[in-house]
Amino acid sequence: VAKALNIDLKQLPRTIELVRAGNSLVLQFVDQELLPDQVLIAKTSSWKEVVDAIMRLGIRGAPALGVAGAAALALWYVNELPKETGDFQENLDRVAGEIGHARPTAVNLQWGVQRMKDMIQSLDEADADANLSAVYEFVKSMEAQDEQINRSIGRHGSKLLGTNSRVLTHCNAGSLATVFFGTALGVIYTAAEEGKVERVYADETRPLGQGARLTVWELSRVGIPTTLLCDDMAATVMAKGMIDAVIVGADRITLHGDTANKIGTYNLAIAAAYHEIPFYVAAPLSTIDMNLEEGSGIPIEQRNPREVQTRPLTGVDVYNPAFDVTPASLITKIITEKGTCSPSQLRDFLGC
Ligand code: MRU
């Protein structure tokens, strides 16, 4: 018997929100470095502070990075450009480059920055008021679109789940990783309302604990029964028959269907294939890199060894890639806002 869960998404804050303050723009964001201890809505008018927040994972998750990147460039254009000297195009290229490279793996960041850059380049230099409104409205429409896209991913993905499913997820591909609602967790929210979710198993996600700190916080706030696992327990719970499906997000999907996501995703995909459990990747079309065929071409961010070795010992080498690549052959379906497809159908699905 299907048991629809009474979930309450109003318990979740909007992750990022651009606001207009007279003649300037301010970005509000949930500072995720502080979660779950503190729910702080940070406010900044400085594009450099947004870059800093992105680098320290105060703002994170591929779709949220796309909108934050666009918003950061809007902050520069409205709040800083009037004070700058030098060539406009050179300054724009430099700032857009710096924002776009704050994190290398999620293609959405460069996608969002490029969209705002194109928008700025289309403006008539003379009319500052109209330009402020135009860049503001552009970010607001990206914010609204992000939520619509996620709700659509949710509807398509939910069709893949049976009644009372027990779903395993990794990292945080939830509302916190987007403007609102989430991708992998968006599928879970939609399915929960349709009586298709019994429980979510959330990997801790070493080294920065996005599962333990963010996913578990988000799911329990909304009212989804959740069990926290250490990363190394996934194969065991699968072997015990406790998992019906794995759903994760993505930072970059190639045309071949290979997918970069948080380190440890590849391990999960191997374990899921061995146990014949479907492995789904939920992501917006903006996560697909239309210029890349194979996963081996995806740039993988290397992060500070201190994230892994919290008690430093001298003379110990640390390897800390933030992402891994799951080959297309291990992915059952990719879930997008336009529907679902197997990785081998991705090119046809995209019409390219
Ligand atoms: O390093 P993070 O926390 O930005 O990594 C995030 C992930 O790996 C997510 O799964 C991915 O960005 C998809 S978010 C909908």
Side-chain angles (χ1 to χ4, degrees):
V1 183
K3 276 182 289 173
L5 292 173
N6 199 4
I7 65 170
D8 185 7
L9 288 162
K10 287 193 291 297
Q11 296 307 317
L12 298 177
R14 292 189 85 77
T15 309
I16 37 186
E17 209 165 5
L18 189 67
V19 286
R20 209 178 152 152
N23 285 335
S24 63
L25 294 178
V26 171
L27 187 67
Q28 300 186 349
F29 63 92
V30 180
D31 191 334
Q32 298 187 40
E33 219 188 349
L34 307 175
L35 283 174
D37 307 317
Q38 217 184 325
V39 186
L40 181 93
I41 310 287
K43 295 182 174 62
T44 182
S45 57
S46 149
W47 69 273
K48 285 195 170 158
E49 277 181 25
V50 179
V51 170
D52 172 65
I54 289 173
M55 291 172 91
R56 64 180 171 80
L57 270 53
I59 301 171
R60 49 151 297 284
L65 290 174
V67 180
L73 196 54
L75 292 185
W76 170 77
Y77 180 75
V78 171
N79 302 341
E80 302 291 324
L81 179 65
K83 295 178 258 169
E84 275 189 11
T85 54
D87 182 65
F88 165 73
Q89 190 61 47
E90 270 176 30
N91 287 335
L92 177 62
D93 290 346
R94 173 180 50 81
V95 174
E98 211 174 303
I99 301 167
H101 291 102
R103 294 194 75 196
T105 303
V107 75
N108 307 60
L109 178 57
Q110 284 137 40
W111 167 87
V113 172
Q114 190 60 48
R115 285 195 67 188
M116 180 51 75
K117 195 174 168 187
D118 293 345
M119 157 76 200
I120 287 173
Q121 277 167 329
S122 74
L123 295 173
D124 171 7
E125 275 171 51
D127 195 342
D129 275 355
N131 292 350
L132 189 154
S133 297
V135 294
Y136 170 74
E137 292 301 340
F138 193 74
V139 175
K140 296 314 280 181
S141 73
M142 283 179 82
E143 289 177 15
Q145 224 175 33
D146 174 87
E147 181 180 344
Q148 281 165 15
I149 286 171
N150 295 335
R151 289 191 184 267
S152 179
I153 289 173
R155 284 191 294 275
H156 289 296
S158 174
K159 293 186 195 140
L160 299 170
L161 296 179
T163 351
N164 304 331
S165 291
R166 296 148 310 161
V167 181
L168 176 59
T169 190
H170 190 66
C171 193
N172 174 270
S175 190
L176 289 167
T178 64
V179 173
F180 194 73
F181 200 68
T183 55
L185 296 195
V187 172
I188 287 168
Y189 295 143
T190 311
E193 284 173 335
E194 295 169 359
K196 291 178 166 179
V197 176
E198 184 179 303
R199 174 164 297 273
V200 175
Y201 289 85
D203 275 350
E204 200 174 21
T205 317
R206 279 274 293 151
L208 292 179
Q210 287 90 333
R213 292 188 303 110
L214 308 178
T215 296
V216 161
W217 177 82
E218 186 177 322
L219 290 172
S220 48
R221 248 179 116 99
V222 168
I224 305 248
T226 306
T227 301
L228 176 63
L229 301 174
C230 295
D231 298 328
D232 37 19
M233 295 170 185
T236 296
V237 292
M238 288 180 189
K240 286 183 180 296
M242 292 160 67
I243 306 296
D244 301 303
V246 179
I247 312 180
V248 295
D251 284 83
R252 194 183 295 231
I253 300 173
T254 69
L255 290 172
H256 190 73
D258 304 329
T259 296
N261 192 49
K262 178 56 54 191
I263 192 77
T265 303
Y266 177 37
N267 302 33
L268 267 190
I270 293 171
Y274 182 81
H275 294 99
E276 296 178 1
I277 294 168
F279 186 90
Y280 301 122
V281 172
L285 294 172
S286 55
T287 300
I288 299 171
D289 186 338
M290 303 297 283
N291 299 311
L292 204 58
E293 281 295 327
E294 307 278 336
S296 56
I298 299 177
I300 300 291
E301 177 184 10
Q302 296 290 330
R303 290 188 62 91
N304 195 322
R306 287 289 175 89
E307 291 177 353
V308 175
Q309 201 187 29
T310 46
R311 295 180 198 168
L313 267 183
T314 44
V316 176
D317 294 331
V318 173
Y319 182 50
N320 187 16
F323 300 94
D324 58 24
V325 177
T326 300
S329 57
L330 294 176
I331 297 168
T332 314
K333 287 231 185 277
I334 296 172
I335 307 165
T336 75
E337 65 271 33
K338 295 271 181 270
T340 61
C341 71
S342 66
S344 60
Q345 301 165 325
L346 186 59
R347 269 182 169 286
D348 284 345
F349 180 75
L350 296 170
C352 64

